[in-house]
Amino acid sequence: MLNQILKDTLKSSLFVLLFLALIQPFGIDRMQEGRIVFILGESLMAAVVIFLSSSAAAYIYKIRCISETSASTFFKITVTEITLITLSLGAALLCYNGWWHEGDAFRYWHDIDGTLTLRPWLTMCLYVAIISVFVFLFHTFDYRTRKLKNELNEVKAINMLLEQRQQKLSEEENGEATDSVNEEKPRNLVTIEGQGLNATLRLDPANIIYVESMANYADICYIADNETKHTTLRITLKQIRASLEGIASIVQCHRAFLVNIDFVMAMSSRNQGYQLQLFGIEKQIPVSRANTESIKLQLS
C-alpha cells in the first residue's frame, strides 16, 4: 500500500505543479522574481500533505490495496483524503505565502489590526478544494482502470485453472474408460431431505450442476438419465451444504448459489460482477468477490 500511496502522491504532485505553472493562481503571475522556486516550494508542500493525508486515510480504513476495495469504500477514503488535504494544505499554503511575501508565516492569519481571522484560511481551503475536484476525478479514473485490470487478470488466471481442470477430468475419464470397459463404477449417493411429503432427492453429487437458494426453498439443477433436471425442495442452502459436506467439487460461489466446479466452463467479468458459464446451461451463475478466492484455491 505504501508504494501505491507514493505513486499516487507523485501523480497528484505533478498535477499540482502543472496547475500552478499554467494557471498561476495566488498572485504567482504578478511575481517578478523567484516564481519557479515559489511554485516548486508549493508543489513540494502539496506532496508532503497529500502523502500524509493518504497514509492517514489508509490507516483509518485499514486498506492494504486500494484497487481491491469496493466503490463505496473508495469513495469514503477519497472524501476523507480530500477533507484532510483541503484543511491541511490550506493552512500550509497560507503560512508559506505569508513567509514568502511578508517574512512572517503567520502574517496572513491576522487582520491589519492584528486580530486573528480565519477568512484567509477558508479562502485558501476553497482554492485547494477546487483543485481537489480535478484530483478526485483523476483518482476515480485511475481507480477504475486499475480495478478493471485486476479483475481481468483474476478472470484470466481462473479461466486458465478451469481449462487445466477440464483437461485433467477428461484424462481421468478416458483412463477409467480404458481400464474398466465393462465394469460399472460404484456411486456414492447422497440424500437431500427437504420439508414435507416426498421431499427427498437421492442422487450422485457428481451430477449436481448448481443449487440456487430462493428464500426457504432451493432449486437443485442436476443430470439424470442424460438430461438436465430441476427439483425444488423446501430446504435452506445451509442444510444442503451440510448434506454435501466433503464433496470438494461443490463450492459456494455466492450467498444464494452452490456450484459444481466440474461443470464450470469459464468465468467472465461484467459490470455486476463475476459470472460463471456452465456446460449446457444458459443461466449465468453469479460469483461474489468474497468467494472468488475460495474458488481459485479449490481449482489450484
Side-chain angles (χ1 to χ4, degrees), residues 156-172 261-262 264-266 279 296 298-300:
K156 183 178 180 181
I158 290 178
N159 282 333
M160 187 177 297
L161 292 172
L162 285 170
E163 185 177 348
Q164 293 173 357
R165 184 179 184 87
Q166 290 302 323
Q167 184 177 357
K168 181 179 179 181
L169 289 174
S170 178
E171 292 174 354
E172 290 178 353
I261 56 177
D262 289 342
V264 178
M265 182 169 60
F279 288 102
K296 187 187 294 186
Q298 188 62 42
L299 289 170
S300 300

Side-chain angles (χ1 to χ4, degrees), residues 126-300:
L126 178 61
Y127 292 148
V128 175
I130 293 173
I131 299 174
S132 297
V133 171
F134 296 98
V135 177
F136 169 75
L137 294 175
F138 170 77
H139 278 310
T140 301
F141 175 78
D142 189 51
Y143 163 77
R144 287 188 58 82
T145 301
R146 279 184 289 175
K147 196 170 184 65
L148 287 173
K149 183 179 179 180
N150 288 344
E151 288 178 357
L152 289 174
N153 289 336
E154 191 163 42
V155 168
K156 183 178 180 181
I158 290 178
N159 282 333
M160 187 177 297
L161 292 172
L162 285 170
E163 185 177 348
Q164 293 173 357
R165 184 179 184 87
Q166 290 302 323
Q167 184 177 357
K168 181 179 179 181
L169 289 174
S170 178
E171 292 174 354
E172 290 178 353
E173 289 179 0
N174 292 335
E176 290 175 359
T178 303
D179 294 340
S180 52
V181 177
N182 299 319
E183 230 176 90
E184 186 176 351
K185 183 181 178 181
R187 298 183 177 182
N188 297 320
L189 304 181
V190 297
T191 302
I192 302 176
E193 296 184 0
Q195 299 178 16
L197 297 174
N198 300 320
T200 300
L201 179 63
R202 186 171 175 81
L203 76 172
D204 185 349
N207 290 336
I208 295 176
I209 302 175
Y210 70 87
V211 179
E212 180 179 3
S213 175
M214 301 175 290
N216 294 323
Y217 291 85
D219 173 37
I220 303 172
C221 178
Y222 58 98
I223 299 293
D225 300 326
N226 294 322
E227 293 182 2
T228 301
K229 296 185 178 182
H230 290 263
T231 296
T232 301
L233 300 177
R234 184 176 176 83
I235 188 173
T236 65
L237 199 66
K238 183 178 180 181
Q239 291 172 320
I240 294 181
R241 286 182 60 188
S243 300
L244 299 175
E245 187 176 4
I247 310 299
S249 61
I250 298 179
V251 298
Q252 184 155 5
C253 60
H254 187 271
R255 60 182 177 83
F257 283 89
L258 297 176
V259 67
N260 188 340
I261 56 177
D262 289 342
F263 284 91
V264 178
M265 182 169 60
M267 174 185 275
S268 61
S269 177
R270 298 185 179 179
N271 292 333
Q272 60 268 39
Y274 297 137
Q275 290 185 326
L276 298 176
Q277 183 178 353
L278 308 181
F279 288 102
I281 302 293
E282 294 184 3
K283 186 181 183 70
Q284 300 287 313
I285 307 300
V287 180
S288 62
R289 303 195 187 283
N291 290 304
T292 304
E293 191 62 29
S294 61
I295 292 178
K296 187 187 294 186
L297 290 174
Q298 188 62 42
L299 289 170
S300 300

